[in-house]
Amino acid sequence: MDNMEEYVDEACGTKEKKGGDSFMVKLSTFIVDKRNLFFLAYILLSIFCIFSKDWVNVENSLSAYLPQTSETRVGLDLMEEEFITYGSAKFMITNIDYEKAKQFADIIENRSDVSMLTFDDTDSHYNNFSALFDVTFAYPEEDDACLESLESLKEMFKDYDYYVSTTLGDQSSETIATEMESIVVWVAIIVVTVLLITSQTWAEVPVLLITFVSSALLSMGTNFMFGTISFVSDSVTIVLQLALSIDYAIILCNRYKEEHEHLPVRESVITALSKAIIEIASSSLTTIGGLIAMLFMQFGIGPDMAICLIKAILLSLLSVFLLMPGLLMIFGKAMDKTRHKSFIPKIPFVGKFANATRFVVPFLFIGVLVVAYIIQSNCPFVYGYSTIETPLKNKYQIADEMIEESFGKSNMLAIIVPSESYEKEAQLIKELESMDEVDYCVGLANTEAMDGYMLTDRLSARDFAELMDLDFEIAQLLYTAYAVNDENYAKIVSGISTYEVPLIDMLSFLYEEAEEGYIPLEDDVMDTLEDAYHKMSMGRDQLQGENCSRILMYLTIPQEGDETFAFLDELHEIAGKYFTTGAEGIILAGESTSQYDLCKTFTRDNIVVTIVSMLAVLIVLLFTFKSAGMPVLLIMVIEGAIWCNFAYPAIANRNLFFMGYLIVSSIQMGANIDYAIVISGRFLELKDKMPKKKAIIETMNFAFPTIITSGSMLAIAGVLIGSMTSEACIAGIGECIGRGTLISIVIVMFILPQILLLGEKIIDKTGFVMSVPALSQKGVGNVRVDGFMTGQIHGRFVGEIHGVITGAVNATVEIGTMKNVDKPADEEKEKYQVPGPDPALNLSTMNENAKEGDEDEDI
């Protein structure tokens, strides 16, 4: 070849040759040359995703992700099938006298859209010039009419200071969406700032930002394929996607800048991409490996979040591989013109400190690990929000707290029992209300209907006639008709006067007969009957199903804790003795049971997530470093960071929502270990080329920009999420990610180097080579050579050479260095992990040929 450009084409694989190009070079060339096609595809996909990102359904209930066999999940499904739950709300009006509150109560009670109002002059509803109205609407809670009635009541109280506590509407999702919009804006500002500080050219920043924004938009726009995702995945995926995958774009950008020192823009992009594809894909495997552990969780939010994040990371990889090369082509000249001095300083003192303390720090770290493990084992995990303080409170949380401060907390629990008899339900309610843990119960058996009679009380024809102001003869006819309808002919024969029927059943029967015109009633009696029937029907809808009955208990104990969980177990035995199904036929549902079920799943999920995440990362590291010792050391370092992270809540005595531990430990193991990989890989590369002290100094100088760029983004994103949302679950995840990332950075920067220096011999001795059968080949003429090999070269050569030649070399060095070394090629070959030379070839012949060779240009 006669000119440098041809040499460049030959070296980077962009010139067609008889031997053909490598697959990665061919692929990279196709991506770069067809960049306009990929631009068009991304533009069309982005437009589509702008609309499709709103198609996904978001589930805001944690209980919806409990295992299908959990008691709470079974109870909720059963209640949805058997009962109707009417919309309700609590209104607290402050600075109001009792007389005015009573007037409001009368107005509310007479509204057609209100079926029930609870208000009286006791401390439970009027206290310290504040009134509490407990309103039940006349519509099921999923009916939009409830929201209209709610807004109407708010309008009625607009001249007063009032607080509303209700589960109606989609209040939490609206609040979370608003908060996350602010978080995303702040994260974007931080990311741009970090990229500007850590960049080497100003024009590389828009390349990185466009790449990420495109992948984030594709991630949000493809969530609809899952149908429904959790509010956690919907809220934090985009932020975590940025923090977890920004490394991939930075790696390709840095590769491009390295290649562009010697090659034109197009050839630099092709060469950089061909080398970076494997490197970036390998880097992503540890993160994906950590996330895979979440797929094995019983608690459904874990798999939900894992799938969303894995998809987001894969889309980030595609954007880096398919979109970013074209952007580098467009911004290549601008990057040349906007070069600036690096703002990231060298940190030789870190390497010097590591070398000086290599015999001390590792042993101190082992002691810290032991202490951190013991402390984090006592981390105060909680499974509900009642005992968690969030840094930010929304208006709904403030309303709940104001009501609780004035009128106390309420812990409601539903107990579902077989529909066997009203008498058994009445006996159960009586026993439950005698217990210290129960404040009161609400069931058909203790709900008053009229004049002191309960809905399930049995009345004779005479008693019913007196209650409803009916003629006794009409009442007897009514009871006779009821017996015939119930096919209870024995009562007719023995005498209807002794026949007793539950009041709720007789009122329903009388109303139906009167509506059909079979029994004439006076207007005032009919009005009374209609009023009683509608209230009774609502009570029956909520408390009696086709196969089950529901009793609502209001407990005096906290929503969670050992005492509460033990009481839940006791309830099954107490209720079971009244019914033929025993304890197995009793189902509990409520906040307490939900948190008890979460506690049970956590015990199993904790073990599974820890083991699977460590195994997944271990497998990746084994193939990366080809050493059994290195993966153990790195996993020990990051697992130590995880233990230190979760020792903090125990030391500070701050309750931690359990899901933060499960999710963050997986992310921390999968993502933060990349920092350790960067340092370890560089040190292993340098340690045999220079003294160990210099190698560790150079390693830390090299790794610091990468770690500080990626680590600061993930840490800051976590801190912002943890401090700018009122959702306890999301805040806990963000806080733990931010704190855990900072701890990981400190450990890999100031402890891992000492461990590498001290454990170097262990790493070498536990190394292994995955050998493949050696293939001896010969070629004559123009021969393309790719890979590591040994043997003889006779003739002119053009290409990159990494190795040791025993003999004479006569070449022009355009890139890199050439120097004499002490060891001959046979002793150096293990370092390059290549098979031995073909015995048929001899080095003496090669030496003679090399001396006769003319001066060639080596690229």
Side-chain angles (χ1 to χ4, degrees):
M1 293 185 182
D2 299 326
N3 57 68
M4 188 63 188
E5 184 175 352
E6 290 183 355
Y7 287 173
V8 168
D9 286 342
E10 183 74 27
C12 68
T14 59
K15 180 173 180 179
E16 291 293 332
K17 290 198 59 161
K18 190 176 268 187
D21 296 328
S22 72
F23 172 75
M24 284 302 171
V25 173
K26 285 183 177 179
L27 178 62
S28 302
T29 303
F30 174 80
I31 293 173
V32 172
D33 291 344
K34 302 298 182 182
R35 56 188 176 275
N36 290 332
L37 176 64
F38 291 109
F39 286 156
L40 177 61
Y42 265 84
I43 290 172
L44 294 177
L45 286 173
S46 297
I47 294 173
F48 172 79
C49 289
I50 289 174
F51 296 97
S52 65
K53 66 184 179 66
D54 297 323
W55 296 351
V56 65
N57 297 316
V58 179
E59 176 58 64
N60 295 303
S61 174
L62 289 176
S63 59
Y65 290 94
L66 284 167
Q68 291 296 321
T69 56
S70 66
E71 184 175 24
T72 303
R73 184 72 261 154
V74 172
L76 292 175
D77 292 342
L78 190 60
M79 287 193 296
E80 184 176 355
E81 179 183 339
E82 292 275 333
F83 309 107
I84 297 175
T85 300
Y86 289 89
S88 62
K90 290 182 178 181
F91 283 84
M92 187 180 85
I93 316 299
T94 61
N95 301 315
I96 186 173
D97 59 63
Y98 179 76
E99 292 303 321
K100 185 62 178 178
K102 186 66 172 65
Q103 293 176 16
F104 274 128
D106 293 337
I107 295 173
I108 296 172
E109 194 168 21
N110 291 324
R111 290 172 59 110
S112 60
D113 56 355
V114 173
S115 65
M116 185 183 303
L117 171 69
T118 304
F119 176 77
D120 52 40
D121 58 355
T122 64
D123 291 343
S124 298
H125 292 94
Y126 188 81
N127 183 31
N128 196 24
F129 293 99
S130 294
L132 180 65
F133 303 107
D134 199 339
V135 180
T136 300
F137 297 106
Y139 316 104
E141 61 180 356
E142 65 273 8
D143 194 328
D144 290 340
C146 288
L147 296 175
E148 297 175 4
S149 300
L150 183 67
E151 293 302 318
S152 177
L153 288 177
K154 289 181 180 179
E155 181 67 20
M156 187 171 71
F157 296 128
K158 65 180 181 180
D159 296 330
Y160 291 84
D161 294 328
Y162 69 88
Y163 300 92
V164 183
S165 176
T166 182
T167 58
L168 296 175
D170 207 6
Q171 300 168 346
S172 60
S173 62
E174 295 171 359
T175 303
I176 293 172
T178 303
E179 293 171 349
M180 290 307 300
E181 288 175 1
S182 300
I183 292 173
V184 169
V185 171
W186 278 104
V187 169
I189 294 173
I190 296 298
V191 166
V192 173
T193 304
V194 172
L195 291 177
L196 289 173
I197 294 174
T198 59
S199 66
Q200 294 175 336
T201 72
W202 301 122
E204 73 184 60
V205 175
V207 173
L208 298 174
L209 290 178
I210 293 173
T211 302
F212 172 72
V213 170
S214 299
S215 60
L217 187 57
L218 261 61
S219 178
M220 291 188 294
T222 52
N223 283 333
F224 75 92
M225 296 186 301
F226 303 136
T228 301
I229 62 175
S230 69
F231 68 95
V232 180
S233 300
D234 184 58
S235 303
V236 303
T237 295
I238 183 174
V239 178
L240 293 182
Q241 180 185 5
L242 166 63
L244 294 175
S245 62
I246 192 69
D247 281 353
Y248 312 148
I250 293 175
I251 289 173
L252 179 57
C253 187
N254 289 340
R255 275 285 186 184
Y256 164 76
K257 288 182 289 186
E258 289 176 9
E259 300 296 336
H260 192 45
E261 293 292 329
H262 310 283
L263 298 174
V265 172
R266 175 177 175 272
E267 286 70 22
S268 299
V269 177
I270 293 174
T271 306
L273 181 60
S274 65
K275 294 178 179 179
I277 288 177
I278 300 298
E279 181 182 355
I280 293 172
S282 300
S283 175
S284 68
L285 288 179
T286 54
T287 303
I288 294 175
L291 296 175
I292 285 176
M294 293 163 57
L295 292 173
F296 293 88
M297 288 173 54
Q298 282 186 320
F299 187 45
I301 282 186
D304 177 86
M305 194 171 179
I307 291 173
C308 290
L309 280 174
I310 290 173
K311 174 177 66 71
I313 289 174
L314 293 177
L315 290 173
S316 295
L317 288 174
L318 285 178
S319 295
V320 171
F321 295 155
L322 302 179
L323 177 64
M324 188 173 171
L327 295 175
L328 289 172
M329 290 289 294
I330 294 176
F331 287 88
K333 293 182 179 179
M335 291 173 65
D336 294 338
K337 296 177 181 179
T338 58
R339 290 182 179 272
H340 62 81
K341 182 180 179 181
S342 175
F343 300 112
I344 303 298
K346 299 291 185 180
I347 53 170
F349 65 91
V350 176
K352 294 177 181 178
F353 171 77
N355 186 67
T357 59
R358 64 187 184 278
F359 296 112
V360 177
V361 169
F363 299 102
L364 291 177
F365 181 62
I366 292 175
V368 171
L369 285 185
V370 174
V371 174
Y373 175 77
I374 294 173
I375 295 176
Q376 68 91 34
S377 299
N378 298 312
C379 185
F381 294 113
V382 294
Y383 309 94
Y385 294 172
S386 60
T387 59
I388 297 179
E389 288 290 331
T390 55
L392 187 68
K393 296 186 185 301
N394 59 52
K395 60 181 181 180
Y396 307 109
Q397 292 171 327
I398 293 173
D400 289 338
E401 288 186 357
M402 291 294 293
I403 293 174
E404 288 176 0
E405 288 178 7
S406 299
F407 298 99
K409 292 184 178 181
S410 175
N411 181 14
M412 192 269 285
L413 182 68
I415 178 168
I416 305 170
V417 299
S419 294
E420 293 184 4
S421 74
Y422 296 132
E423 288 77 11
K424 292 181 178 180
E425 293 179 27
Q427 293 171 9
L428 174 59
I429 290 174
K430 183 177 180 180
E431 180 172 356
L432 291 175
E433 290 188 327
S434 67
M435 304 180 70
D436 295 335
E437 295 87 351
V438 179
D439 186 11
Y440 65 95
C441 296
V442 176
L444 289 179
N446 71 335
T447 299
E448 184 176 350
M450 302 168 64
D451 295 347
Y453 286 107
M454 303 300 166
L455 284 174
T456 60
D457 284 350
R458 290 182 171 274
L459 276 67
S460 64
R462 186 172 297 280
D463 295 332
F464 188 75
E466 293 176 355
L467 176 65
M468 297 300 298
D469 196 20
L470 293 174
D471 290 337
F472 178 60
E473 291 78 10
I474 294 177
Q476 282 186 313
L477 290 174
L478 179 65
Y479 268 62
T480 302
Y482 182 88
V484 172
N485 186 69
D486 197 38
E487 298 181 355
N488 195 346
Y489 303 111
K491 290 294 182 182
I492 301 176
V493 175
S494 61
I496 205 68
S497 61
T498 60
Y499 186 28
E500 293 182 341
V501 178
L503 177 57
I504 186 173
D505 295 335
M506 186 51 68
L507 284 174
S508 298
F509 185 73
L510 174 58
Y511 179 80
E512 293 169 1
E513 295 296 302
E515 282 288 294
E516 293 292 334
Y518 297 130
I519 298 179
L521 297 175
E522 296 180 3
D523 292 343
D524 57 338
V525 175
M526 191 62 191
D527 291 340
T528 302
L529 178 61
E530 286 182 346
D531 182 63
Y533 176 79
H534 288 302
K535 290 182 177 179
M536 178 194 64
S537 296
M538 291 193 65
R540 172 171 266 168
D541 289 341
Q542 298 181 81
L543 299 175
Q544 187 178 49
E546 184 178 349
N547 303 300
C548 303
S549 293
R550 178 166 60 174
I551 299 172
L552 304 181
M553 294 184 295
Y554 292 83
L555 307 180
T556 59
I557 52 180
Q559 287 187 354
E560 64 176 293
D562 294 340
E563 178 189 7
T564 301
F565 296 158
F567 177 68
L568 295 180
D569 290 333
E570 184 183 358
L571 274 178
H572 286 88
E573 301 301 324
I574 293 174
K577 66 185 181 183
Y578 289 99
F579 301 93
T580 57
T581 58
E584 291 76 14
I586 307 302
I587 304 295
L588 305 178
E591 286 296 329
S592 292
T593 56
S594 175
Q595 292 164 32
Y596 193 18
D597 287 334
L598 291 174
C599 178
K600 295 174 183 176
T601 62
F602 174 68
T603 303
R604 181 259 188 195
D605 287 346
N606 185 20
I607 298 174
V608 170
V609 166
T610 301
I611 293 176
V612 174
S613 62
M614 290 176 64
L615 286 177
V617 173
L618 178 65
I619 292 172
V620 174
L621 295 180
L622 278 174
F623 286 96
T624 301
F625 291 103
K626 297 180 177 63
S627 167
M630 179 64 84
V632 174
L633 291 177
L634 298 188
I635 288 177
M636 179 187 70
V637 167
I638 299 302
E639 191 63 37
I642 294 173
W643 292 342
C644 292
N645 186 13
F646 293 101
Y648 171 78
I651 296 173
N653 196 28
R654 292 182 56 186
N655 290 334
L656 176 67
F657 191 61
F658 80 102
M659 199 164 66
Y661 180 88
L662 293 174
I663 291 176
V664 173
S665 60
S666 298
I667 293 176
Q668 196 172 346
M669 176 58 73
N672 292 173
I673 203 165
D674 283 347
Y675 313 152
I677 292 174
V678 171
I679 293 175
S680 304
R682 189 68 170 181
F683 176 72
L684 292 181
E685 181 182 339
L686 297 177
K687 71 183 182 68
D688 292 329
K689 299 179 181 179
M690 59 185 70
K692 303 298 185 295
K693 179 179 179 180
K694 185 177 180 182
I696 201 65
I697 291 174
E698 291 297 321
T699 294
M700 301 313 296
N701 285 334
F702 168 82
F704 181 63
T706 301
I707 294 174
I708 201 64
T709 302
S710 175
S712 61
M713 289 184 186
L714 184 57
I716 293 173
V719 170
L720 289 176
I721 293 174
S723 59
M724 295 181 64
T725 180
S726 58
E727 170 58 45
C729 175
I730 298 175
I733 293 173
E735 178 186 346
C736 292
I737 286 178
R739 184 177 61 240
T741 301
L742 290 174
I743 292 173
S744 296
I745 292 174
V746 171
I747 289 179
V748 299
M749 291 293 295
F750 296 101
I751 296 177
L752 178 61
Q754 289 89 327
I755 294 176
L756 292 175
L757 288 169
L758 192 64
E760 173 208 356
K761 293 182 178 179
I762 298 176
I763 297 170
D764 291 340
K765 290 182 179 179
T766 57
F768 58 88
V769 176
M770 300 180 65
S771 59
V772 295
L775 179 63
S776 177
Q777 293 182 331
K778 295 180 181 180
V780 178
N782 295 325
V783 181
R784 178 62 184 250
V785 179
D786 292 294
F788 291 101
M789 54 199 70
T790 61
Q792 293 180 335
I793 299 176
H794 176 51
R796 292 164 55 87
F797 64 90
V798 176
E800 295 185 14
I801 293 181
H802 303 278
V804 174
I805 298 175
T806 299
V809 180
N810 188 0
T812 300
V813 180
E814 295 288 347
I815 302 175
T817 61
M818 183 174 70
K819 62 183 179 179
N820 291 332
V821 294
D822 296 333
K823 298 180 180 180
D826 285 344
E827 296 182 24
E828 286 282 325
K829 69 181 181 181
E830 292 185 2
K831 173 180 174 182
Y832 296 94
Q833 299 179 357
V834 296
D838 189 332
L841 301 177
N842 61 79
L843 293 174
S844 60
T845 305
M846 179 177 131
N847 293 342
E848 294 174 2
N849 293 335
K851 291 178 181 178
E852 297 173 0
D854 46 21
E855 293 185 8
D856 299 326
E857 293 177 84
D858 177 24
I859 298 178

